[in-house]
Amino acid sequence: MKLMTALVNVALNLSINMDNTQRQYEAERNKMIGKRANDRLELLLQKRKELQENQDEIENMMNAIFKGVFVHRYRDAIAEIRAICIEEIGVWMKMYSDAFLNDSYLKYVGWTMHDKQGEVRLKCLTALQGLYYNRELNAKLELFTSRFKDRIVSMTLDKEYDVAVQAIKLLTLVLHSSDEVLTAEDCESVYHLVYSAHRPVAVAAGEFLFKKLFSHRDPEDDSMPKRRGRQSVNANLIKTTVFFFLESELHEHAAYLVDSMWDCAGEILKDWECMISLLLDEPLPGEEALTDRQETALIEIMLCTIRQAAECHPPVGRGTGKRVRPDATRIDQPLKTDPCFHTLPYSVDAEKVTNLLQVPQFFDLEIYTTGRLEKHLDSLLRQIREIVEKHTDTDVLEACSKTYHSLCNEEFTIFNRVDIARSQLLDEQVDKFNRLLEDFLQEGEDPDEDDAYQVLSTLKRITAFHNAHDLSKWDLFTSNYKLLNTGIENGDMPEQIVIHALQCTHYVILWSLAKVSEGTSKKEDMLILRKQMRAFCLMCQRYLTSVNTAVKEQAFTILCDLLLIFSHQIISGGREALEPLVYTPEASLQSDLLNFILDHVFIDQDEDSNSTDGQQDDEAGKIEALHKRRNLLAAYCKLIIYNVVEINTGADIFKQYMRLFNEMLSDLGPSFDRSSSAFCGIKELARRFSLTFGLDQLKTREAIAMLHKDGIEFAFKEPNPQGEGHPPLNLAFLDILSEFSSKLMRQDKRTVHMYLERFMTFQMALQREDCWLPLISYRNSLQAGGDDDTMSVVSGISSRGSSVRSKKAKPATGKRKLPEVWMNREQSMQTPIMMPSPHLTSTIMREPKRLRPEESYMGVYTMTPDQQQQHTHPQTPQPQHHQTPMDYNRRGTGLMEDDEEPIVEDVMMSSEGRIEDLNEGMDFDTMDIDLPPSKNRRERSELKPDFFDPASIMDESVLGVPMF
């Protein structure tokens, strides 16, 4: 291919020289007869003739290389060769577009976009990018674009992220060349990728979105002077961003949208002055005001842009980005952002307020002092105080608490001012809570609803602030404990009041522990903390028997946290002084915790009514309930891992998993769907469990071997009652056991494989139905990497095979084989009969990842006399060759037009078991490379055949490739 590229370069130079010679000849011939130099005309004619002969010779050489090499090798069995062919043909079309940039050559690139290897598909896209980048070539690409546009769009969802990124970039170039090529459906399929978790894909989609929606500016805007605020040029672009965000209906993913467009539209997204103007100013004449929903979306986008500019890293789920210096992680523009806090009405919904309250967390606090902006700080504190007094939403109150925590930084001079405002606010709330609680508890068994609401709202505010601020100087433990004790005695305490009282008391314990851990507190403080902690744990244990499920979940979660915090590990790291605080749960408490897990976690999905408000049919509610159950189980498993509870309680947890697995097998049978979510979840659990064995295979060798031994015995323990022709009932467990095959040492895989074959019959080895796939996949996992004599299909039989076998015949030194005592399952097992296998000849190729003939599975099974008679005379082996041809015939009619899947696999090369001779049957007539005529000489014959002429296309029946 490199030789062909060099010839193309020579042909291009010859074409240029021929054009120059032709122009010189025409100029000399057009002179007057008296001034015409006949000798020069003869020299120019001779030179043109020589150039013509050279060009004809180059054409013949290129035709020979193209028909003899490229046509065969562009679908070679080796992916690297196919990638080189596509890369070079892209160079030819870009270098010498007059000769090669036509549909007769473009079709090869279009076909190869369906290759099963990502690197080949990637070369196709990069080759096309070089062509679409040059706008002068767009006219020659119109038909190719219309024919293969759908395939390029589908490649944006390719399983290889690099391919998907280049496909989006190619569509961006197509969009740049013409807006009419891509339909609305095509664009929408790229738009949603801005929310992709893979950042390069999302950034490429963001650039596509920017080109499509934001690049159409009015030319008059560039000539007019720059305007600010609502009259800015960016106002319409910001509104377009809001409209797109709302139409995508992914209202929790604004950070991902901002991150995707940050590189290409950062100037627009950082125009916070324009955003605030859209929120505050009146609309211009003829302009529609933003709706309430649009204002909420704009505030969320503004918050995400401020966070992106301050933190300088992608959102969660898109990896870690490069962080800037800590002193540069705050916005130094309070003048542009503060007005929104003392001008916007705070009677709006909670979502708007929550987002607005997070903006001051990114301020540069020094600017309040250096810029003499104390009045803005007072206004901000006053607004936050009003929000706390008006709102009871938990998210809003937590946002206020975090904002106060951000402003109460002792490094800045504004600390005293903010601390005074915070103390005044909390004094009022604590006094109000104590007064309301006293009246509420005196009402007895029939509390007033208004009083209960007042107690709950005040308790919510105190709990939200206690999460981030130390309220130890207010004795909140006594009042909360009294409230909880009354709820246990009367049994009619409102659910939310109990939940927030438990949470607030938990914060009291943790803040007290923090003060004691510093070593500055008195000994009485530690004794008080020990007494309060034990009393509170007992109170939470009593609430585990509550009727309300939400209260029990809150008590269980807090109990698990406290038991883990105050376990024996609290004295580690030189903190022996905290030994009096160590708390070991009693047997009754451990029993209550385990019973809670068994009663509320290991239940059927349909029976779970926890915190779903009767919406069992709602998928979102079921998913939320599932996550809650997982969190509860994780909290309890931490107690087992850190030896807080008895280790034998873990057996009860594993029993539940085995019960669920057995129930799944009994309900679905041995032929259940292996792609179901339940089975995939168990397999994922096995994969994660296998990772706990670490990388030291010698250390875990015996354990892994015994795991495989027991797993194999379990899989074949219960035969199928329908007969031997059906798989054992537990055979599906082999699919899970295959997750641990990679942990076996190379020499142990063969030993385990031999042990597996003891349980198999000859008929089992020949089964290929779906119900036997666990056995097939497990055997393949044991054979992968376990035999050094595996040959490659594409490389042929080398002399290395004999040397490897000779080395294997020598006894291994320095390696300890796995003990074979555990392999003896039955002493009465019959000795397997070895089958004769066909001898390898020069025309036979063994398929990869198979055992040698003497190690084939056919040689380890007991066969009947009839079976032995059938295999006495092996069939004559059929010749096989190194090349794997393309299997286009199964694609149907049309040039890959039936391929509608977003990710195409195994569409280029046929399976390894179907190896045919690529060189046979390829003597068809392909096009001859006919270089285009010079501009000023006689027109030569056109390139043949016409790409879209059915009478002149290649013989489709011979090539096996559908044409246009």
Side-chain angles (χ1 to χ4, degrees), residues 605-606 608 610-612 614-629 677:
Q605 185 77 21
D606 296 336
D608 186 15
N610 299 348
S611 303
T612 55
Q615 300 178 359
Q616 285 298 323
D617 296 333
D618 185 24
E619 282 298 323
K622 292 182 179 180
I623 294 175
E624 182 179 358
L626 178 61
H627 284 300
K628 182 179 293 184
R629 288 159 55 194
S677 59

Side-chain angles (χ1 to χ4, degrees), residues 170-273:
L170 178 58
L171 290 177
T172 305
L173 293 175
V174 173
L175 183 67
H176 191 65
S177 60
S178 177
D179 294 338
E180 301 176 356
V181 175
L182 299 178
T183 63
E185 292 77 9
D186 298 334
C187 295
E188 290 176 0
S189 63
V190 183
Y191 289 161
H192 75 277
L193 294 177
V194 296
Y195 299 104
S196 173
H198 192 259
R199 193 171 191 274
V201 173
V203 171
E207 184 178 357
F208 179 88
L209 177 65
F210 180 77
K211 292 289 185 182
K212 181 64 177 178
L213 299 182
F214 304 122
S215 60
H216 304 288
R217 293 193 177 187
D218 192 352
E220 298 180 357
D221 295 338
D222 298 333
S223 59
M224 296 180 62
K226 290 186 178 181
R227 294 168 293 182
R228 303 176 62 181
R230 198 182 189 99
Q231 300 180 356
S232 172
V233 178
N234 296 332
N236 291 330
L237 302 180
I238 293 174
K239 286 198 262 186
T240 303
T241 306
V242 173
F243 299 155
F244 172 80
F245 176 62
L246 293 176
E247 291 177 0
S248 62
E249 297 182 354
L250 294 173
H251 307 312
E252 298 179 358
H253 294 73
Y256 296 90
L257 174 62
V258 170
D259 180 64
S260 301
M261 301 182 60
W262 191 255
D263 295 339
C264 58
E267 181 182 356
I268 300 174
L269 296 177
K270 288 189 288 187
D271 193 352
W272 300 305
E273 184 178 4

Side-chain angles (χ1 to χ4, degrees), residues 934-948:
S934 298
K935 299 179 180 179
N936 298 318
R937 61 187 175 92
R938 186 166 43 191
E939 293 293 331
R940 303 172 63 187
S941 60
E942 296 294 333
L943 286 174
K944 56 182 180 180
D946 188 359
F947 190 42
F948 296 96

Side-chain angles (χ1 to χ4, degrees), residues 730-792:
N730 298 333
L731 189 68
F733 189 76
L734 292 180
D735 207 352
I736 299 175
L737 193 61
S738 61
E739 297 293 336
F740 299 89
S741 297
S742 61
K743 297 299 179 180
L744 283 169
M745 299 185 68
R746 182 183 296 271
Q747 57 267 33
D748 294 345
K749 286 187 177 181
R750 176 176 172 81
T751 306
V752 175
H753 184 262
M754 292 174 60
Y755 188 68
L756 172 67
E757 289 171 342
R758 293 186 178 186
F759 291 82
M760 297 171 55
T761 61
F762 180 73
Q763 289 80 7
M764 288 183 183
L766 300 179
Q767 297 292 342
R768 288 297 181 268
E769 289 79 5
D770 291 343
C771 58
W772 293 93
L773 286 178
L775 176 59
I776 298 173
S777 62
Y778 182 58
R779 291 183 64 237
N780 292 337
S781 67
L782 295 178
Q783 294 175 0
D787 193 355
D788 293 332
D789 197 26
T790 302
M791 303 296 293
S792 174

Side-chain angles (χ1 to χ4, degrees), residues 473-530:
K473 62 181 179 180
W474 294 277
D475 186 14
L476 295 175
F477 182 85
T478 303
S479 56
N480 280 283
Y481 189 83
K482 185 187 301 184
L483 190 152
L484 293 173
N485 190 42
T486 305
I488 285 290
E489 294 177 354
N490 298 337
D492 58 352
M493 188 67 65
E495 168 189 327
Q496 291 298 319
I497 291 181
V498 175
I499 291 176
H500 284 84
L502 288 171
Q503 190 65 51
C504 185
T505 311
H506 185 210
Y507 291 148
V508 172
I509 299 296
L510 295 182
W511 278 108
S512 299
L513 176 62
K515 292 182 63 177
V516 170
S517 301
E518 294 176 356
T520 57
S521 59
K522 300 179 182 180
K523 187 176 182 180
E524 294 101 7
D525 296 336
M526 183 177 296
L527 296 177
I528 294 174
L529 173 60
R530 184 174 182 270

